[in-house]
C-alpha cells in the first residue's frame, strides 16, 4: 500500500508518495492556489494522485508551534484533512512538521539549487520529509 504525504499551506500543498514497498518517500509535485480557502481544484488533484498511485493512507504535516501548542494553522490543516478524509474515505494521520521547511531548504542548498529556484521545490521536498518521518517512526 502506498502512502501520500502532504505539506498543507495557505497557498500550496506539497505532495510526496511512498514507493511500492513503503520504504522511501519521493517528492511528487506542488499544488498551488490563489487563496487558502479555494480548495476545490486542490482536492481534485489530490484525489487524482490517490487513484493513480493506489494510495491507502494520507499523511499530513501538523504545523505545531515551537512550544507544542496548536494555532490557527493547525485548525486550518485539520479542516483540510477532515474534508479530504470525507472525500476519499482514506484514513488521515498527522505528523509533527516543525522545521521540515528548514530541513528542505538545507537539502536544496546542499544540492546547489539557486535561492530563486527553491520555491519551486521546497513544498514537495517538505512533504517527502513529513512522509519519510512518518514511515521511519511506524512499523508499516
Amino acid at each position: 500500500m502506498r502512502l501520500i504525504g502532504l505539506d498543507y499551506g495557505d497557498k500550496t500543498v506539497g505532495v510526496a508518495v511512498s514507493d511500492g514497498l513503503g520504504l522511501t518517500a519521493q517528492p511528487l509535485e506542488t499544488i498551488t492556489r490563489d487563496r487558502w480557502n479555494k480548495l476545490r481544484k486542490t482536492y481534485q488533484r489530490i484525489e487524482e494522485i490517490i487513484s493513480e498511485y493506489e494510495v491507502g493512507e494520507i499523511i499530513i504535516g501538523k504545523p505545531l508551534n515551537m512550544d507544542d501548542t496548536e494555532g490557527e494553522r493547525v485548525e486550518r490543516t485539520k479542516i483540510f484533512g477532515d474534508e479530504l478524509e470525507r472525500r476519499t474515505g482514506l484514513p488521515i494521520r498527522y505528523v509533527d512538521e516543525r522545521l521540515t521547511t528548514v530541513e528542505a531548504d538545507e537539502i536544496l542548498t546542499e544540492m546547489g539549487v539557486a535561492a530563486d529556484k527553491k520555491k519551486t521545490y521546497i513544498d514537495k521536498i517538505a512533504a517527502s520529509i513529513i512522509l519519510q518521518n512518518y514511515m521511519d517512526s511506524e512499523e508499516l
Side-chain angles (χ1 to χ4, degrees), residues 10-27:
D10 285 343
K11 292 189 177 182
T12 62
V13 177
V15 181
V17 294
S18 68
D19 66 330
L21 298 174
L23 300 174
T24 62
Q26 308 299 317

Side-chain angles (χ1 to χ4, degrees), residues 15-90:
V15 181
V17 294
S18 68
D19 66 330
L21 298 174
L23 300 174
T24 62
Q26 308 299 317
L28 187 61
E29 68 182 75
T30 299
I31 303 167
T32 60
R33 63 188 179 284
D34 294 328
R35 294 182 25 202
W36 74 269
N37 60 348
K38 298 288 185 180
L39 290 164
R40 185 177 55 81
K41 290 180 181 178
T42 299
Y43 288 127
Q44 288 174 344
R45 180 61 189 136
I46 293 169
E47 289 169 324
E48 290 169 1
I49 294 167
I50 286 170
S51 177
E52 179 181 344
Y53 286 89
E54 299 177 352
V55 168
E57 191 171 1
I58 301 168
I59 314 305
I60 301 176
K62 186 176 183 181
L64 295 169
N65 295 322
M66 292 307 286
D67 64 359
D68 281 340
T69 60
E70 295 184 3
E72 183 180 344
R73 289 184 59 229
V74 170
E75 185 60 34
R76 285 185 183 175
T77 300
K78 286 182 178 179
I79 292 168
F80 169 77
D82 288 347
E83 178 63 14
L84 198 53
E85 184 174 36
R86 186 192 69 73
R87 291 176 69 120
T88 65
L90 295 176

